[in-house]
Amino acid sequence: MYRFLLTPRWLAAAALTVVAAIVMVMLGNWQLRRYQERTAINDRIDSANSVQAVPITSVLTAPTAAGTPGAAPGKALAWTKVTLTGRYDATHEIQARGRTVDGEVGFEIVTPLILDDGTAVLVDRGWVPAGEGGALAAPVAPAAPTGRVTVVGQIHLSESRPASVERRDGRLDTRRLSVPRLATELPFPVYGAYVLLNEQTPAADPAFIPIPISHEDAWQNGGYAVQWWIFAGMAFVLFGWQARREALGLNAQSGGNGQKSGASDVPQKDVPQKVAKAKPRDRVEAADQRRAQKAEK
């Protein structure tokens, strides 16, 4: 009944179905990994207040050359809670403009913290509103504390799409906090990620508003994973449905031909047929008969 599946056309369709299903399963697995990565990031965000901070030197690779960044950490380290101690370098402070908090546009103030080994970590001390002149007006930000400072914060990966950097209002001014781009403007080795400040000793100025951290949309990736796996199963269901239709069609055609051939094989019975051949009548004789009938009347 299903011998047609061994024909080249159906073998090719089966191979295509298997390949398509494998690709869709792989896409589903990739989305599952993205779901797991984002879930882990959300867990680190939620547990930041309860976990113990680790030294930044234990999780990030130290930079080696001035004006260059260290190795960028992977997403697995995003939002890890770290601690670091050093001295702020206010002469190379950075202001990131066009930053929005609670619908208001302002600046993030980022100050390099020089560690004991001479390397630096960019510390985002918080958000301040723009000046009275508008969104680009120079912000009024509290000065960085002098002396030795201990910072507790969370690792923020370098932002993509580097923007231009210029000196304005006594600070380096930029739109994007791209560590590789900013490192070229600084005279010391810089770690490959920056830190969002949570706590500081001495205490941070309350004029700074902490930068809110948005959660990753992990459930979207989980939904995509399930969809791809369903599509993979549907590919086999569709192949089976087409094969079933083909089999039923061939079976119906075979059955119909059998009935016709069976009917033709039945011997036909000889049916006697009486073929009455009309004997030709003589016209003269017919005329005499008609006259005789009239005379009788």
Side-chain angles (χ1 to χ4, degrees), residues 56 60 69-73 120-122 155-158 179 190-195:
I56 193 170
L60 295 186
V121 178
L122 300 182
I155 292 175
H156 193 305
L157 302 184
S158 176
V179 175
V190 180
Y191 275 80
Y194 66 98
V195 173

Side-chain angles (χ1 to χ4, degrees), residues 25-288:
V25 168
M26 293 175 63
L27 289 172
N29 292 341
W30 174 72
Q31 289 290 348
L32 177 62
R33 288 192 296 271
R34 292 288 295 132
Y35 165 79
Q36 294 169 339
E37 290 174 358
R38 288 186 163 186
T39 300
I41 289 174
N42 290 336
D43 291 342
R44 286 195 294 275
I45 294 173
D46 294 334
S47 63
N49 293 330
S50 59
V51 300
Q52 185 70 29
V54 297
I56 193 170
T57 54
S58 67
V59 292
L60 295 186
T61 303
T64 56
T68 60
K75 291 183 178 180
L77 293 177
W79 311 116
T80 300
K81 189 176 181 180
V82 295
T83 182
L84 53 155
T85 300
R87 297 175 182 270
Y88 279 123
D89 180 5
T91 60
H92 294 94
E93 195 165 70
I94 303 159
Q95 59 185 29
R97 65 183 183 275
R99 299 301 179 118
T100 303
V101 173
D102 294 332
E104 187 176 353
V105 179
F107 292 78
E108 290 180 30
I109 305 300
V110 180
T111 309
L113 186 71
I114 311 300
L115 308 185
D116 293 339
D117 61 1
T119 60
V121 178
L122 300 182
V123 177
D124 191 332
R125 296 196 290 142
W127 180 92
V128 292
E132 296 180 356
L136 297 180
V140 178
T146 59
R148 198 165 181 80
V149 177
T150 297
V151 170
V152 176
Q154 291 175 265
I155 292 175
H156 193 305
L157 302 184
S158 176
E159 296 179 352
S160 59
R161 296 183 287 112
S164 61
V165 179
E166 60 183 15
R167 183 163 285 277
R168 188 167 69 91
D169 309 319
R171 301 185 183 95
L172 294 176
D173 183 274
T174 187
R175 180 67 182 85
R176 307 283 296 173
L177 290 175
S178 171
V179 175
R181 177 66 184 87
L182 292 168
T184 62
E185 304 290 334
L186 302 173
F188 31 70
V190 180
Y191 275 80
Y194 66 98
V195 173
L196 288 185
L197 187 148
N198 292 341
E199 304 173 20
Q200 180 182 278
T201 305
D205 194 298
F208 283 110
I209 296 177
I211 306 301
I213 301 175
S214 300
H215 283 66
E216 299 277 341
D217 189 3
W219 286 108
Q220 182 182 42
N221 297 100
Y224 288 156
V226 173
Q227 287 179 7
W228 281 117
W229 293 333
I230 291 175
F231 291 157
M234 289 177 62
F236 288 107
V237 172
L238 179 61
F239 178 84
W241 179 70
Q242 292 285 5
R244 180 64 177 170
R245 284 189 60 190
E246 182 86 359
L248 292 176
L250 291 176
N251 187 48
Q253 183 179 0
S254 174
N257 289 341
Q259 292 176 358
K260 291 178 181 178
S261 60
S264 61
D265 292 340
V266 177
Q268 302 252 350
K269 293 183 178 180
D270 294 335
V271 180
Q273 296 181 357
K274 296 182 180 180
V275 180
K277 296 183 178 180
K279 182 180 179 180
R281 299 177 64 186
D282 186 270
R283 286 179 292 177
V284 175
E285 182 180 354
D288 291 342

Side-chain angles (χ1 to χ4, degrees), residues 3-16 238-247 250:
R3 290 181 180 178
F4 63 88
L5 292 176
L6 300 178
T7 61
R9 179 170 70 91
W10 278 95
L11 288 175
L16 182 62
L238 179 61
F239 178 84
W241 179 70
Q242 292 285 5
R244 180 64 177 170
R245 284 189 60 190
E246 182 86 359
L250 291 176

